[in-house]
């Protein structure tokens, strides 16, 4: 379905490593998810899944156990809501990405949309942020936004691309990317393909100048 397809870019960022570690060191330190996902609460299902994902990796948890561990970090209210969708035993046997998709479909809060868009139109590389980290953060914002809205609704004009380019600390990179964007947009349009290509060009340029990628 269209709704399911929108979740895929974000879900791809939650995939386990192709050569996963084995054995459990300890349970990750993750806040209990209570289902209160709103901009006002400061918590979204995206942020919670990202924190859980990084904690599972840091704790060396076997990916086969990720779902069962994640279930222990759902509040009783959330578990009851999930149980109303299907038996909890079904969730335990569910592949990790399917489990994440079910959580997203159930707990996405649409009042977060404005907050996400605000982040995108104010993108800027932070003072101690590498080019690679800035590009990764931009990708993350885009992936989160696309779980709510379509590509056309995000890239209806060149605003996001131009802000992404203008956000680099290195002004020469901004100048070069602006020129390339004008050329690339002729063949790629103002969509996700253009965003990915600009990000790729930025990373390639930064790697050629090691002092800029730190």
């Amino acid at each position: 379905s269209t709704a399911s397809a929108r979740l895929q870019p974000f879900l791809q960022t939650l995939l386990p490593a192709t050569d996963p570690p084995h054995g459990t060191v300890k349970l990750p330190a993750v806040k209990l998810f209570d289902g209160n996902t709103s901009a006002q609460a400061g918590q979204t299902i995206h942020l919670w899944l990202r924190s859980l994902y990084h904690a599972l990796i840091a704790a060396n948890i076997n990916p086969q156990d990720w779902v069962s561990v994640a279930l222990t970090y759902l509040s009783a209210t959330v578990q009851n809501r999930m149980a109303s969708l299907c038996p909890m035993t079904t969730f335990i046997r569910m592949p990790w990405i399917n489990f994440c998709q079910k959580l997203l479909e159930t707990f996405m809060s649409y009042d977060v949309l404005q907050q996400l868009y605000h982040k995108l139109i104010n993108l800027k590389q932070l003072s101690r942020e590498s080019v690679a980290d800035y590009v990764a953060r931009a990708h993350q914002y885009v992936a989160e936004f696309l779980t709510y809205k379509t590509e056309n609704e995000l890239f209806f004009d060149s605003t996001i691309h131009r802000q992404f380019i203008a956000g680099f600390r290195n002004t020469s990179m901004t100048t070069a990317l602006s020129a390339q964007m004008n050329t690339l947009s002729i063949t790629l349009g103002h969509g996700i393909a253009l965003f990915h290509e600009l990000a790729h060009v930025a990373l390639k340029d930064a790697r050629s100048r090691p002092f800029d990628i730190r």
Side-chain angles (χ1 to χ4, degrees), residues 13-171:
T13 70
L14 301 175
L15 286 171
T18 53
D19 185 21
H22 297 281
T24 299
V25 176
K26 61 179 179 180
L27 292 179
V30 176
K31 291 182 179 180
L32 196 71
F33 179 63
D34 61 9
N36 182 19
T37 56
S38 68
Q40 185 176 9
Q43 180 183 28
T44 71
I45 184 60
H46 301 85
L47 291 176
W48 184 80
L49 279 172
R50 291 298 298 172
S51 67
L52 176 65
Y53 170 76
H54 288 300
L56 289 168
I57 291 176
N60 204 35
I61 305 293
N62 189 319
Q64 293 182 348
D65 299 324
W66 283 13
V67 172
S68 58
V69 171
L71 288 171
T72 67
Y73 289 91
L74 302 179
S75 70
T77 300
V78 171
Q79 289 199 28
N80 288 337
R81 184 170 178 185
M82 298 294 282
S84 70
L85 302 175
C86 64
M88 293 305 286
T89 52
T90 301
F91 286 111
I92 293 174
R93 295 193 299 270
M94 196 175 281
W96 167 249
I97 290 298
N98 293 39
F99 174 74
C100 291
Q101 179 172 333
K102 184 62 69 176
L103 281 172
L104 284 166
E105 291 172 342
T106 306
F107 294 102
M108 283 199 311
S109 175
Y110 284 82
D111 73 338
V112 175
L113 260 178
Q114 190 60 37
Q115 186 182 71
L116 279 172
Y117 189 69
H118 179 77
K119 288 180 179 179
L120 282 165
I121 62 174
N122 290 282
L123 268 174
K124 186 176 293 186
Q125 186 181 2
L126 303 178
S127 60
R128 293 176 179 242
E129 188 174 40
S130 69
V131 169
D133 287 344
Y134 171 60
V135 169
R137 182 162 59 89
H139 271 299
Q140 188 61 43
Y141 290 164
V142 167
E144 288 183 24
F145 190 95
L146 293 180
T147 60
Y148 291 90
K149 294 288 186 177
T150 66
E151 176 185 345
N152 288 338
E153 289 171 305
L154 177 59
F155 298 113
F156 62 90
D157 59 22
S158 61
T159 302
I160 302 300
H161 304 93
R162 294 196 182 283
Q163 182 57 45
F164 169 64
I165 291 171
F168 287 99
R169 292 198 310 269
N170 188 313
T171 55

Side-chain angles (χ1 to χ4, degrees), residues 161-190:
H161 304 93
R162 294 196 182 283
Q163 182 57 45
F164 169 64
I165 291 171
F168 287 99
R169 292 198 310 269
N170 188 313
T171 55
S172 62
M173 179 179 286
T174 294
T175 301
L177 282 173
S178 294
Q180 293 196 50
M181 177 185 143
N182 293 333
T183 301
L184 290 168
S185 62
I186 295 174
T187 54
L188 298 176
H190 289 119

